[in-house]
Amino acid sequence: MIVRPVSSSDLPALIELARSTGAGLTTLPANEERLAHRVGWAEKTFRGEAGRGDADYLFVLEDDDGRVVGISAIAGAVGLREPWYNYRVGLTVSASQELNIYREIPTLFLANDLTGNSELCSLFLHSDFRNGLNGRLLAKARMLFIAEFPQLFGAKIIAEMRGMSDEQGRSPFWESLGRHFFKMEFSQADYLTGVGNKAFIAELMPKFPLYSCFLSEDARNVIGRVHADTEPALTMLKAEGFSYQGYVDIFDAGPAVECETAKIRAVRDSATLVLAIGTPGDDATQFLIHNRKREDCRITVGAARFAAGTLVVAPATAKRLRLSAGDNVRAVPLSPAREAV
């Protein structure tokens, strides 16, 4: 498996992936025109022809047979072209000594606080390939790309996680809040945000602080919680240094997690090394390895070991990277439990 930049020839495979995602992945709508536009813009981004506010680094996961089975992306910066909204979960205290009343009420404040940060987004892996190291490769390859090209990204990286919805795609938070302002199902609003209408919809949401006690119990219970399918991704991000700081999505109340770019484990602990080709050995460590290229970027996971200042990998790993012995790579142990390189 390798992670590489998307190309126009991937469009049919992306359409099929988009149709299999269900509600929740708003940045991958099953709309051929929109996807074609996004792919074209991603190609422009990898060529260095897009400013940070417009940059869309869209990657695909490809197996050794050339089949595209997953996608992931990095947005260069959010909110620099249109407002970027989240709810900040705060606290309102009401107290009266005379009446012996003291109440702490969680309160939602509409905010643009995350504007300008880079975003990890559009993570999706076909269900038939959710095994082995595929998911971790697809998700973490982006971090190694950021480590190689930090000048392209903000000082902080965020990730909006998919919020809670039932098997029919109904969001308790949307049913209790958003539905009162829009005559549509959550799935339709979810789709509209994916095709570029999030700011417009957000403008119609209430601007004043929202007391959570006005929401249904089901809605209150999902604030800051992720969908069951997203739990593994959240666990992985936490292990890399990301944390929830009280910001949630305005539609499904899924949490936004964040980390200073330089403190992300895969960024902080990665190093540039000389590639050697040989036999890593039975005690080799699984490494995330990047060929250090931008437009021709290729990132893979492979067993590797250190020897005389080099990173020794198997011939198949070097072939996936399209590199030869003596070339430079950027690498980091795949697991945070391993020691830094």
Side-chain angles (χ1 to χ4, degrees):
M1 290 283 187
I2 60 103
V3 169
R4 60 163 175 81
V6 72
S7 70
S8 56
S9 62
D10 298 321
L11 188 58
L14 293 183
I15 291 291
E16 290 303 312
L17 280 176
R19 288 172 178 162
S20 67
T21 62
L25 189 60
T26 60
T27 52
L28 187 69
N31 178 298
E32 186 169 357
E33 182 181 353
R34 284 281 177 177
L35 278 177
H37 175 77
R38 185 176 184 191
V39 169
W41 197 261
E43 290 177 315
K44 184 177 180 179
T45 298
F46 280 105
R47 292 195 300 266
E49 299 172 4
R52 195 163 73 85
D54 299 311
D56 182 14
Y57 298 91
L58 180 60
F59 301 89
V60 296
L61 178 67
E62 179 184 271
D63 67 14
D64 289 341
D65 295 324
R67 180 172 41 179
V68 171
V69 299
I71 68 161
S72 61
I74 317 167
V78 300
L80 299 187
R81 294 293 178 264
E82 60 181 17
W84 183 267
Y85 292 97
N86 291 94
Y87 276 126
R88 177 173 55 82
V89 182
L91 192 67
T92 297
V93 175
S94 299
S96 171
Q97 291 186 350
E98 183 177 351
L99 299 177
N100 194 30
I101 293 174
Y102 180 90
R103 290 289 308 278
E104 294 183 351
I105 304 173
T107 306
L108 303 176
F109 300 87
L110 199 63
N112 307 116
D113 297 353
L114 300 183
T115 296
N117 296 315
S118 300
E119 182 196 17
L120 301 178
C121 57
S122 303
L123 178 66
F124 182 76
L125 178 60
H126 193 284
S127 58
D128 293 345
F129 293 86
R130 293 174 187 170
N131 51 56
L133 304 178
N134 297 339
R136 279 181 280 175
L137 167 60
L138 181 61
K140 295 186 180 187
R142 299 173 293 182
M143 302 176 196
L144 203 56
F145 186 84
I146 291 170
E148 181 63 30
F149 303 105
Q151 71 278 9
L152 302 178
F153 304 100
K156 183 184 292 184
I157 309 293
I158 65 170
E160 286 193 323
M161 313 305 291
R162 180 179 177 183
M164 295 289 290
S165 59
D166 62 22
E167 295 179 355
Q168 288 72 44
R170 289 166 57 90
S171 161
F173 189 78
W174 174 263
E175 294 299 321
S176 187
L177 178 60
R179 177 177 289 281
H180 295 291
F181 299 89
F182 306 96
K183 301 296 183 181
M184 64 181 71
E185 297 296 325
F186 172 70
S187 58
Q188 184 180 359
D190 196 50
Y191 173 80
L192 288 174
T193 63
V195 296
N197 289 337
K198 184 172 184 177
F200 171 74
I201 294 176
E203 291 291 348
L204 300 179
M205 297 290 278
K207 303 297 187 297
F208 46 82
L210 177 69
Y211 296 103
S212 63
C213 58
F214 292 154
L215 302 175
S216 69
E217 182 178 1
D218 286 344
R220 294 196 301 271
N221 289 339
V222 301
I223 294 174
R225 291 180 57 197
V226 299
H227 192 279
D229 291 347
T230 308
E231 286 284 0
L234 178 61
T235 300
M236 181 275 296
L237 287 172
K238 286 182 176 179
E240 290 290 331
F242 286 76
S243 62
Y244 170 61
Q245 298 295 321
Y247 293 94
V248 301
D249 183 78
I250 64 174
F251 299 123
D252 64 12
V257 294
E258 56 189 82
C259 185
E260 291 181 36
T261 304
K263 293 182 179 180
I264 297 172
R265 196 276 316 184
V267 174
R268 181 192 67 227
D269 294 351
S270 71
T272 56
L273 301 160
V274 176
L275 189 70
I277 300 175
T279 303
D282 294 337
D283 59 346
T285 298
Q286 291 293 333
F287 271 78
L288 193 64
I289 311 169
H290 179 206
N291 67 359
R292 303 198 68 194
K293 298 179 182 178
R294 179 168 163 176
E295 191 175 352
D296 297 321
C297 163
R298 293 176 75 87
I299 302 171
T300 193
V301 165
R305 64 178 171 84
F306 294 112
T310 65
L311 185 70
V312 181
V313 303
T317 300
K319 182 179 179 180
R320 292 187 182 105
L321 294 167
R322 294 179 178 172
L323 294 178
S324 303
D327 289 334
N328 286 329
V329 296
R330 178 173 292 276
V332 69
L334 181 64
S335 170
R338 302 290 185 180
E339 292 186 1
V341 297

